[in-house]
Amino acid sequence: MIKPVHAASADGWVVRDAVPEVDAGTCLEIYAPFVRDTSVSFEEVVPTVEEFRDRIRATIATHPWLVLAIGGRVVGYAYGSQHRSRASYRWAADVTVYVDPEHRGIGAGRRLYDALLDRLRRQGFQVACAGIALPNDASVGLHRAMGFEPVGVYRRIGWKAGAWHDVMWLQLELAPATGDEPPEPSAPGT
Ligand SMILES: CC(C)(COP(=O)(O)OP(=O)(O)OC[C@H]1O[C@@H](n2cnc3c(N)ncnc32)[C@H](O)[C@@H]1OP(=O)(O)O)[C@@H](O)C(=O)NCCC(=O)NCCS
């Protein structure tokens, strides 16, 4: 049984599972500027809060979606998702993290990733993958600090805001490789 994360620490930071009906609005507030104003997200139209709530619901059926609250306010979130749909990719998960600008550089991203990667590992995922539209020193720095290794760069793979963008991929081994087929990843909360 994988227990839901609800990790309160002495500094008042709480990492917990997202609740779609409760957290969709705040998570979308954090995310929307990256859709509107940057190439960090390749999405071009800001989703509605209903769409975002459904996105969280769909995600938590198979992967963790965690939020970090400081002083009761959600200031960031991180989630896992399917890397590719073909069966043999099922032990690989993509990971994503967003922290509100006022709370960057104080360890929020690391705290969210510590919890997210732990959860993915406990579900039985073997590899975590991250695709980062370049340039993004903060995201590359966070992933490198968490132990992700660069895999390669897709050149001019996305067009947004009047320019082509490269995407760097990194990966992290969540479990040591063996010659045997690993157990199936489990659903969250099972
Ligand atoms: C990327 C992001 C999540 C980092 O979160 P954060 O809370 O500021 O990061 P932390 O304070 O936890 O820092 C963790 C590590 O990342 C590295 N890092 C953070 N900001 C950095 C920066 N601006 N430049 C280089 N490295 C940086 C630090 O070296 C740090 O390592 P350490 O813990 O060993 O000191 C945050 O900047 C963000 O939300 N950016 C916008 C959204 C985004 O780009 N998301 C990723 C999409 S791929």
Side-chain angles (χ1 to χ4, degrees):
M1 165 93 180
I2 297 170
K3 290 200 188 107
V5 169
H6 189 104
S9 56
D11 52 17
W13 291 22
V14 174
V15 175
R16 62 167 172 80
D17 286 275
V19 178
E21 299 72 22
V22 173
D23 296 311
T26 315
C27 290
L28 181 57
E29 272 173 33
I30 294 169
Y31 176 62
F34 295 100
V35 177
R36 259 195 315 263
D37 310 325
T38 77
S39 55
V40 166
S41 166
F42 278 2
E43 194 159 14
E44 295 181 339
V45 177
V46 176
T48 64
V49 71
E50 289 78 18
E51 287 168 339
F52 212 71
R53 185 196 59 211
D54 291 347
R55 208 176 276 189
I56 299 175
R57 271 194 195 131
T59 299
I60 62 179
T62 52
H63 292 77
W65 185 310
L66 305 177
V67 297
L68 169 66
I70 300 180
R73 180 178 150 207
V74 170
V75 302
Y77 66 91
Y79 63 91
S81 55
Q82 184 183 58
H83 177 61
R84 305 262 300 181
S85 61
R86 294 280 188 257
S88 298
Y89 284 113
R90 66 189 178 281
W91 292 276
D94 284 359
V95 290
T96 306
V97 55
Y98 285 89
V99 173
D100 140 62
E102 287 172 23
H103 293 86
R104 293 208 191 123
I106 57 169
R110 178 180 276 280
R111 188 72 67 92
L112 280 161
Y113 258 15
D114 276 340
L116 180 73
L117 297 170
D118 181 54
R119 277 283 291 273
L120 290 170
R121 204 173 278 120
R122 288 159 59 200
Q123 274 185 249
F125 291 101
Q126 301 281 312
V127 178
C129 309
I132 304 174
L134 298 177
N136 188 339
D137 290 349
S139 185
V140 173
L142 169 65
H143 286 87
R144 297 292 280 140
M146 299 303 300
F148 282 73
E149 296 287 343
V151 176
V153 176
Y154 284 144
R155 303 290 174 190
R156 69 184 205 99
I157 197 75
W159 172 269
K160 188 167 178 188
W164 286 108
H165 297 280
D166 298 345
V167 170
M168 179 181 192
W169 280 90
L170 302 97
Q171 76 173 73
L172 176 74
E173 301 278 314
L174 295 169
T178 70
D180 302 323
E181 181 169 324
E184 293 296 314
S186 61
T190 55

